[in-house]
Amino acid sequence: MTDIKNLETYDPFEDVQEETETKTKTSVFKPIHLRVKTRRGRKKITTIENLSSEFDLKMLLKEMRKKFCCSGSIVNDERLGEVIQLTGDQREPVAEFLVEEEITTKRGIKIHGN
Amino acid sequence: MSEFELDLPKKKKRKKKPVKKEQKKSETNEEEENEFKFELPKKKKGRGRGRGRGKRGRGRGKRGRGRGRGRGRGRGRGRGKTKGKEKAKDLNSENLNQTEEPEIEYKVLKSEFEQGLKIEENPDYEYQELLTRFYKTLKERNPELTGENKFIMKHPKVIKGGSKKTVIANAQELCHAMRRRPDHVLSYFLAELMTTGSIDSDGVMIIKGVYREKHIVPILKRYIQTYVACQVCNSVMTSLIKDNRLFFVKCEHCDSKTTVQGIKSGAATNLLRRKQKFQNKK
């Protein structure tokens, strides 16, 4: 029956649903914030916010720790969700890392601080 | 708005050179007038008769257009009747040597067009000279209107306020120059540096941590780019307005409104220390 085109059933609302779903996803644009905080003396901590929950944060952390030779952890914040913390001032290497892995573009990263 | 005067020096006017074609026609007309003997012409001469052609030249209609462009006694335009009458008048007045004014409209346009082309090739004033002159006078008399709105601000005085604290002594002056509340500026600094701070009664900012001028100046610049400068005309005469839970930057120069995000501080990173404290107590 469905071999003949004219006899196929046609749902006119199929395409519309798909478009609305995609629109809601792309319309909300959340940039990734990189901040630095000073600890005792010259020690610092970098925080990475707003990473989307699609990614496996644990795997990302593991790779970053290996690359940058630092320690880190994931912290659950009340308003901002899950946040990655790394020891040391790692803003620029993290930005390069995110762009290389095609997680975001340069525009989607905002660096705060000095 | 104050007015200003342009004092261009007087230059000599160029004499308008008559076009060569008109000269030729005047010559031919003079020859004809001598032949006419002061009578209104009934017959329409000059339709290509100058060179042994037919009555109406080239087999065209009564008003043979096209080929009688001055070769046939200047009558090839099809308006011989009017021409003849006017010529009779001129002859009676005995002003033969005067060059006739152009009667047909497209004659005038052609001459002006040709003159315009000549002026473009050899102008009295060059474009660059006029431009530089214009901008000089603008700067002297109306410096506001020039496009060079360099917002010159003082440097922030950053002083060490004991170990672990920095003091910005200029804070009140800076905020006044930028037309912003010092509370707003402080909150931006603290969000960027992830520290605590406060404002004294004298308008002096105290920030926890050791910072120098080179750390604070780029943060100030970023603040101006996002919250002070208008994104349309790049002017600094703006004001912050809150409308329907949204922050707007309203420009007084170009009268435009742009939305701006509020200041959000980062995640609290004291959890590490709290964990350690609890562990130590146990």
Side-chain angles (χ1 to χ4, degrees), chain B residues 62-112:
Chain B
K62 275 191 186 176
R63 299 174 184 185
R65 286 176 199 176
R67 302 299 160 184
R69 282 180 206 158
R71 290 169 194 173
R73 314 288 174 168
R75 294 285 183 84
R77 298 277 163 79
R79 301 182 200 196
K81 279 186 185 175
T82 53
K83 262 202 180 178
K85 281 182 190 172
E86 285 180 11
K87 273 182 193 169
K89 287 176 193 171
D90 287 333
L91 295 168
N92 289 325
S93 64
E94 293 185 45
N95 293 325
L96 297 170
N97 289 326
Q98 274 184 358
T99 55
E100 290 181 0
E101 289 178 3
E103 299 155 350
I104 301 162
E105 286 182 359
Y106 61 90
K107 256 192 193 174
V108 172
L109 286 172
K110 238 194 182 179
S111 63
E112 280 185 2

Side-chain angles (χ1 to χ4, degrees), chain B residues 28-44:
Chain B
T28 53
N29 289 331
E30 285 168 10
E31 288 175 342
E32 282 181 322
E33 285 147 19
N34 290 326
E35 288 178 355
F36 265 127
K37 299 179 184 178
F38 307 98
E39 276 183 4
L40 284 170
K42 288 181 184 179
K43 291 180 186 177
K44 292 170 190 178

Side-chain angles (χ1 to χ4, degrees), chain B residues 167-185:
Chain B
V167 170
I168 301 173
N170 263 352
Q172 215 181 27
E173 289 177 19
L174 296 175
C175 299
H176 195 67
M178 289 192 291
R179 300 179 174 202
R180 293 284 174 273
R181 278 192 228 161
D183 298 340
H184 198 254
V185 180

